[in-house]
Amino acid sequence: MSHNTSFLIANLARQGVSRRTFIKYCATLASLMALPPSAGRAFAEALAKARRPSVIWLSFQECTGCTESITRSHAPTLEGLIFDSISLDYHHTLQAGAGTAAEAAREAAMKANWGKYLVVVDGSVPMKDGGVYSTSAGVSNYDMLMETVKGAAAVVAVGTCAAFGGLPMARPNPTGAVAITDLVKDKPVVNIPGCPPIPVVMTGVLAHYITFGSLPELDAKGRPKAFFGESIHDRCYRRPFYDQGKFAKSFDDEGARKGWCLFELGCKGPVTYNSCATLKWNGGTSWPVESGHGCLGCSEPDFWDAGGFYKALSMSASPLILGKGAVLAGATAGVAVALVNRAKKRAAKAAHETTTLADLEK
Amino acid sequence: MNDMQFLSWVRGTGLDLAVGIFLLGVIWRLIEIYSLGRKKDLAAPRHTPGASGWHTILRRSIPADGLLTKAPVTYIAGYGFHIGLAVVVLLFAPHIKLIQGLIGISWPALPSQIVDLFAVATLAAMLVILVDRITKPVKRYLSTFEDWFTWTITFLPVLTGWLAVRHLLLPYTTMLAVHILTVELLLVFLPFTKLFHAFTVFGSRWYNGAVNGHKGVPV
């Protein structure tokens, strides 16, 4: 299954990608990742010479949306071609082999590239009840992950499920799902969250790894800073409307038709760090906010449990249940204190002694 | 706990607790204060022009003769930060959305840059008030722990809100959560400290005016 002998540039040329297009792509990638202009050349040189790096893709508790996003975003793209040009030695959805043959391919790839291969993980890992909720070839996700990452150079957690637990980890988390970083502690892990993540972010990280032999600079949540350094809100083309106080109040009102800010309709752009607003989706066609829907915050941890997709960020995340009881308790306390005060007053009045002239002359 | 969980907690359980304690405290204190009552004044009421509860409410809102020049900081910075607070709290779009979510009423918002300007002015005025309290020996002598404490819990929500909007000091998500938490602290302590004047200021002015008005004294 391993094809480490064919160069990436040759592969691209076979698929009709000219050298000029390739160099333009490398320059764009370098600029997207906020690297100096010289990095574009470095990318081009390194990628052109790169032998197809071995990648083992493990799919755990996921929906295959991440794979769909990267492989089917639009065809053909340079991202797609580069993705096709890695030596994808094991991938549940894409591999032709099945059963023992597939597992043998994984083991062979690990053996042949020990210490050098990349492990891409898509999906969270169930830990409850011995991990029985997700297995492949009779092996629990946990066991397969730990065995596979042993010889990996680095691990890439693709999608929010792998990066932060995602939907499987949402309350009440019936399978005891955890993120990859909860389990892999001794290998570099880069998180590429998103539901699904943006394809170019994935290829950008791969290109960086191939070129510099290291992972790009990461933020506190293990995400490449170049792509997750700024919030959706700060880069949103509707931001001026937020600043002017112009908000769509429903999805079909005048404000919505005029393209006003979607904050009041629940947009999570202010607390979501991702590149959707700048890179957009489907070859730069559009992105959620441009299509009229607020950001769900899908590249942030716990976005399923962040209080509802259609509630404004400043609204309460859950219904306030203590209010009525608090008013009742307050009224009771107030009346009780009032009664005590009245009683004190009455007692003071009762204890009042009148003074007569005779008393004063004593 | 990551930043999103922190934010969800302050927007959920934290807000519920804070609003609960706030409501409990406000209802309790209002009943307690207004049930105290006073002795009946058996003297015949004297009628003097300008001596009534309503007159006092108005009069105490305007600096007395000469005081504006004697204590300009108290009046200008005092009014400045109270008006600033009202604008920032009540006319910033996300705040209106919160109020609408809680009690169902809403009103138009000001553009965020104007609210930003008011926030900066409020912070500046509050700092001036603080420096004045520290540097004036009499004010410092009269100040108790409660004065410093209430200043702090009023200042923090404005500061953290402004820092969050400006993306300063901490990442926005964390700063937003800290901002909401400081507002919750304010809500919890408001009914039980002198900040309760937000509810009683006009009532107590009216009472003073009415009691003295009965005696024919305009205060």
Side-chain angles (χ1 to χ4, degrees):
Chain A
M1 290 287 283
S2 184
H3 304 283
N4 285 355
T5 47
S6 69
F7 289 110
L8 193 143
I9 189 74
N11 224 327
L12 292 175
R14 266 202 303 281
Q15 299 193 50
V17 178
S18 70
R19 185 170 170 77
R20 174 177 290 271
T21 312
F22 175 67
I23 288 171
K24 263 170 81 177
Y25 173 73
C26 291
T28 310
L29 208 54
S31 115
L32 280 178
M33 298 183 77
L35 294 167
S38 58
R41 195 171 166 179
F43 269 149
E45 284 172 1
L47 287 174
K49 281 188 219 151
R51 289 169 190 277
R52 297 165 26 130
S54 172
V55 172
I56 295 175
W57 186 304
L58 302 174
S59 301
F60 296 151
Q61 291 196 127
E62 48 84 40
C63 69
T64 313
C66 299
T67 303
E68 290 283 341
S69 162
I70 290 163
T71 56
R72 294 212 205 171
S73 51
H74 49 296
T77 63
L78 269 164
E79 288 89 2
L81 290 175
I82 284 190
F83 183 71
D84 288 345
S85 301
I86 57 175
S87 177
L88 191 57
D89 293 323
Y90 181 86
H91 188 303
H92 284 170
T93 316
L94 304 177
Q95 68 198 357
T100 314
E103 295 309 313
R106 180 174 63 86
E107 282 156 20
M110 283 170 62
K111 209 172 166 189
N113 303 288
W114 191 259
K116 286 182 285 186
Y117 60 87
L118 278 180
V119 175
V120 178
V121 188
D122 170 12
S124 64
V125 181
M127 297 300 285
K128 204 171 160 188
D129 301 326
V132 294
Y133 297 103
S134 177
T135 61
S136 51
V139 180
S140 74
N141 289 169
Y142 173 76
D143 289 341
M144 186 170 285
L145 174 72
M146 298 323 271
E147 187 199 327
T148 313
V149 299
K150 262 184 209 162
V155 181
V156 183
V158 171
T160 301
C161 296
F164 304 131
L167 178 62
M169 207 177 88
R171 278 197 295 268
N173 190 3
T175 64
V178 297
I180 301 310
T181 44
D182 291 328
L183 302 171
V184 179
K185 305 284 185 191
D186 55 347
K187 298 280 176 186
V189 181
V190 56
N191 285 331
I192 305 181
C195 193
I198 302 174
V200 74
V201 178
M202 173 78 202
T203 49
V205 171
L206 283 179
H208 192 284
Y209 180 74
I210 293 166
T211 309
F212 302 111
S214 64
L215 295 171
E217 194 186 351
L218 307 178
D219 71 4
K221 289 176 183 164
R223 306 174 292 195
K225 268 190 184 168
F227 298 105
F228 296 91
E230 285 183 278
S231 74
I232 296 289
H233 186 59
D234 288 344
R235 304 295 291 179
C236 182
Y237 75 103
R238 296 194 189 208
R239 176 61 183 267
F241 296 118
Y242 172 88
D243 290 330
Q244 288 165 28
K246 290 177 176 170
F247 298 96
K249 308 279 180 187
S250 78
F251 286 108
D252 59 354
D253 70 354
E254 204 198 342
R257 279 190 286 277
K258 284 182 173 168
W260 288 356
C261 176
L262 300 165
F263 178 86
E264 294 199 3
L265 293 170
C267 182
K268 301 296 179 292
V271 292
T272 306
Y273 289 77
N274 206 337
S275 310
C276 305
T278 41
L279 297 178
K280 299 192 182 185
W281 284 83
N282 300 325
T285 308
S286 183
W287 61 293
V289 169
E290 194 171 341
S291 71
H293 194 287
C295 167
L296 301 182
C298 77
S299 56
E300 293 297 326
D302 302 285
F303 82 100
W304 291 98
D305 294 323
F309 295 150
Y310 300 101
K311 260 189 185 175
L313 198 57
S314 61
M315 290 171 82
S316 62
S318 51
L320 303 189
I321 49 173
L322 298 176
K324 279 182 189 161
V327 169
L328 201 66
T332 311
V335 169
V337 175
L339 289 175
V340 170
N341 287 341
R342 291 275 159 114
K344 269 189 200 162
K345 238 191 208 178
R346 271 200 307 276
K349 207 174 177 183
H352 181 69
E353 290 175 10
T354 47
T355 309
T356 60
L357 268 177
D359 293 333
L360 294 172
E361 283 169 0
K362 269 180 195 171
Chain B
M1 186 184 261
N2 60 44
D3 56 354
M4 285 301 281
Q5 287 168 331
F6 180 24
L7 181 63
S8 295
W9 188 87
V10 293
R11 288 176 60 215
T13 312
L15 187 68
D16 199 13
L17 282 170
V19 170
I21 296 170
F22 174 77
L23 287 175
L24 184 149
V26 168
I27 303 282
W28 167 357
R29 295 290 311 275
L30 283 177
I31 293 177
E32 183 184 350
I33 291 166
Y34 285 104
S35 68
L36 279 175
R38 291 286 156 134
K39 271 188 194 164
K40 216 175 200 174
D41 193 339
L42 298 172
R46 291 185 182 188
H47 297 287
T48 310
S52 77
W54 295 108
H55 278 100
T56 302
I57 289 179
L58 186 70
R59 197 175 293 125
R60 296 262 170 106
S61 301
I62 303 162
D65 274 350
L67 275 185
L68 189 60
T69 45
K70 261 190 164 172
V73 170
T74 307
Y75 281 104
I76 297 169
Y79 260 104
F81 98 77
H82 275 90
I83 292 168
L85 270 182
V87 169
V88 171
V89 173
L90 298 176
L91 295 176
F92 187 43
H95 297 168
I96 298 171
K97 198 65 197 167
L98 170 69
I99 295 165
Q100 190 190 7
L102 293 178
I103 56 174
I105 54 168
S106 68
W107 50 88
L110 275 181
S112 58
Q113 288 92 341
I114 294 178
V115 177
D116 189 83
L117 187 74
F118 272 93
V120 173
T122 307
L123 291 170
M126 286 194 75
L127 285 172
V128 168
I129 290 265
L130 180 72
V131 170
D132 192 52
R133 189 182 275 277
I134 294 169
T135 52
K136 295 268 165 61
V138 176
K139 281 191 175 177
R140 194 171 64 234
Y141 177 74
L142 289 172
S143 299
T144 61
F145 169 76
E146 194 181 351
D147 292 295
W148 309 114
F149 179 71
T150 49
W151 181 92
T152 307
I153 59 172
T154 310
F155 186 75
L156 283 179
V158 190
L159 178 70
T160 53
W162 182 76
L163 289 174
V165 168
R166 289 299 188 96
H167 293 12
L168 297 170
L169 215 63
L170 291 174
Y172 178 76
T173 309
T174 313
M175 192 53 98
L176 179 64
V178 170
H179 169 61
I180 298 173
L181 189 68
T182 58
V183 173
E184 286 164 5
L185 278 179
L186 180 65
L187 281 175
V188 165
F189 285 106
L190 190 142
F192 306 105
T193 55
K194 57 170 54 182
L195 294 175
F196 199 59
H197 75 267
F199 285 87
T200 53
V201 61
F202 294 116
S204 58
R205 274 183 196 175
W206 183 89
Y207 196 87
N208 273 330
V211 167
N212 286 289
H214 191 86
K215 297 170 182 165
V217 183
V219 291

